Amino acid sequence: MLSAFRYRLYPKTDQEKRLNRSLILLCGLYNDLKAEEMRRYRKDHKSTPKTMFRTFALNARKHDERLRDIHSQVVQNVGDRIHRSFRNFFEGRARFPKWKKPNRYNSLTFTQFGFRLNPEKGLLLFGLGYVRIFVHRPLLGRVKQLTIKHEADDKWCAIFITERDEPTGRPLTEIPITKIRGADMGLSSFVTFDDSTSAEYPEFLRRSEGKIARLQRHFMRKHKGSRRRRELGRRLARLHLHVGHQREDFQNKLVHRIFSENDVLVLEKLHISGMLRNHLLAKSISDASWNSFAKKASFKAKSMGKHLIFVDSWGTTQLCHNCLGWVPKALGERKHRCLSCGIDVPRDENSALLIKRLGILRSPTPDRGPSPAEQRPLPSLREVVSQRREAGSLPTQG
Ligand SMILES: [Zn+2]
């Protein structure tokens, strides 16, 4: 599995100058390659393969001596980047690649060579010498790639991508039900678990979000191209970065806690693609949160040898976790009160319990014996309900 390790870098003034100059040069190269690709496409109606982009980039380095101060693989990586932008566009995942502005082009990537991490001296970078780096946690695995990034708050960081072996954890069949946690992602609280605990975004995060909204309104009122607007834009970018870090930190700690205490996490799968935007702002923010949370959970499960199970979200808000009766609720209703079995629990907890119930179907416990569940579609309440109806224990709706 691939993991990212991110460390703060502290370049000296002259090193910073050289890094900034490299970024400007690479940005120019990116735009040159884009222009070249547009010209070629107009002529031949064919997209250019990655190797050819790399060759173009290396040729540019041959003819421009300023680019020769930059490691050849870093230059070649610009070819990879422009190729990826066009491929994403042609395959419908992204919009047409933009012209990059120098202040937006803020990272450069070494693939194998041109850098070395020395615990005493720092990070050795091609053409720069040793740069001071703060390695706050050990770098694990085989390094595949290094990206040097200039953040919106003017800090520099080094991001190592490494390859690690996945630990083998307990097989699903040997995990007791008490170590399985069902989780419902909600609008009112971030996540609610089946054991009636929940996790909220901390107060400071909601405060920062309010601040962003306020600043955004000021920003929109300023004239385009004005000095005030530019300044506010920079402040907004810094704040967005800060909130992003806060959110990441909160979710990372939460995921870590879940998998330290449990072996299995069950989540419902959302059936929306990243490109689809919801017109309800709160909903679209929570969908985005769900996506990043699910990604982190999936990564953490792999790295800790735990399990993440997705289930179908159909019916998880309306059915009763106890008797599977249909208990319709409006969006604003926070309670789940079942008339047929008398259960009375908070709405989100009922959903979490249903989600866990589905997850258990997917992960057979020893007494039920192993089943070839791996290849089946997502476990769904549809199946459960229709099986019940066939068995005659649920009245069919007339
Ligand atoms: Zn019930």
Side-chain angles (χ1 to χ4, degrees), residues 319-327 336-343 350:
L319 293 182
C320 170
H321 78 270
N322 187 41
C323 66
L324 290 180
W326 191 259
V327 187
H336 168 85
R337 285 194 195 91
C338 180
L339 293 177
S340 31
C341 72
I343 282 275
N350 178 61

Side-chain angles (χ1 to χ4, degrees), residues 93-111:
R93 284 187 299 271
R95 281 191 249 178
F96 193 73
K98 283 183 184 168
W99 297 109
K100 296 276 182 191
K101 286 180 190 157
N103 60 342
R104 284 297 178 92
Y105 199 91
N106 50 17
S107 70
L108 50 90
T109 300
F110 293 87
T111 39

Side-chain angles (χ1 to χ4, degrees), residues 10-20 128-131:
Y10 301 89
K12 290 184 199 125
T13 321
D14 63 312
Q15 289 174 328
E16 191 170 18
K17 252 184 219 156
R18 264 184 287 175
L19 277 171
N20 276 326
L128 251 80
Y130 281 104
V131 183

Side-chain angles (χ1 to χ4, degrees), residues 82-331:
I82 186 79
H83 173 256
R84 193 170 54 222
S85 314
F86 273 107
R87 201 189 50 201
N88 283 343
F89 167 68
F90 284 128
E91 292 173 8
R93 284 187 299 271
R95 281 191 249 178
F96 193 73
K98 283 183 184 168
W99 297 109
K100 296 276 182 191
K101 286 180 190 157
N103 60 342
R104 284 297 178 92
Y105 199 91
N106 50 17
S107 70
L108 50 90
T109 300
F110 293 87
T111 39
Q112 289 153 299
F113 307 111
F115 64 94
R116 195 167 58 232
L117 185 61
N118 184 317
E120 275 102 51
K121 293 179 178 166
L123 179 63
L124 182 63
L125 290 177
F126 178 87
L128 251 80
Y130 281 104
V131 183
R132 203 155 71 86
I133 184 171
F134 180 46
V135 183
H136 65 285
R137 63 169 178 148
L139 181 65
L140 305 171
R142 297 171 296 280
V143 176
K144 307 285 276 184
Q145 200 180 76
L146 166 66
T147 294
I148 306 294
K149 192 168 177 199
H150 193 195
E151 301 280 14
D153 54 7
D154 256 357
K155 288 168 185 161
W156 291 84
C157 68
I159 304 158
F160 292 88
I161 306 292
T162 73
E163 169 95 60
R164 281 197 286 170
D165 299 327
E166 285 170 31
T168 43
R170 261 208 282 190
L172 269 178
T173 44
E174 286 168 21
I175 294 167
I177 285 181
T178 48
K179 289 287 182 189
I180 301 177
R181 200 80 301 145
D184 176 56
M185 311 281 299
L187 282 176
S188 52
S189 65
F190 181 73
V191 57
T192 305
F193 299 104
D194 62 283
D195 60 355
S196 82
T197 57
S198 64
E200 291 284 357
Y201 266 139
E203 180 60 33
F204 60 77
L205 199 62
R206 268 173 290 154
R207 265 206 306 273
S208 313
E209 276 166 354
K211 217 159 142 190
I212 284 189
R214 218 164 41 242
L215 219 61
Q216 182 72 42
R217 280 197 299 276
H218 284 303
F219 177 72
M220 296 307 283
R221 265 188 243 125
K222 302 285 177 265
H223 288 290
K224 269 199 173 166
S226 71
R227 192 178 54 84
R228 285 290 295 151
R229 191 176 160 106
R230 227 175 19 248
E231 255 167 39
L232 276 173
R234 266 200 286 273
R235 258 176 72 194
L236 260 176
R238 272 203 301 277
L239 204 57
H240 270 295
L241 187 75
H242 180 64
V243 171
H245 286 160
Q246 286 182 324
R247 197 177 292 126
E248 291 272 294
D249 185 53
F250 163 75
Q251 291 190 357
N252 275 327
K253 282 175 180 156
L254 180 61
V255 165
H256 185 84
R257 201 188 75 210
I258 293 171
F259 283 118
S260 312
E261 292 165 0
N262 305 288
D263 288 320
V264 181
L265 176 67
V266 191
L267 289 177
E268 50 185 355
K269 186 107 196 157
L270 291 196
H271 296 285
I272 47 146
S273 76
M275 305 270 294
L276 233 121
R277 293 281 173 266
N278 199 298
H279 62 282
L280 262 171
L281 183 65
K283 184 75 176 68
S284 72
I285 289 174
S286 94
D287 288 350
S289 273
W290 183 92
N291 261 323
S292 72
F293 182 75
K295 254 186 224 152
K296 287 190 181 65
S298 151
F299 176 80
K300 201 78 190 171
K302 264 191 211 153
S303 71
M304 289 173 81
K306 307 278 175 134
H307 304 272
L308 174 68
I309 295 177
F310 286 109
V311 298
D312 191 345
S313 64
W314 182 86
T316 51
T317 52
Q318 309 294 341
L319 293 182
C320 170
H321 78 270
N322 187 41
C323 66
L324 290 180
W326 191 259
V327 187
K329 318 174 188 61
L331 197 69

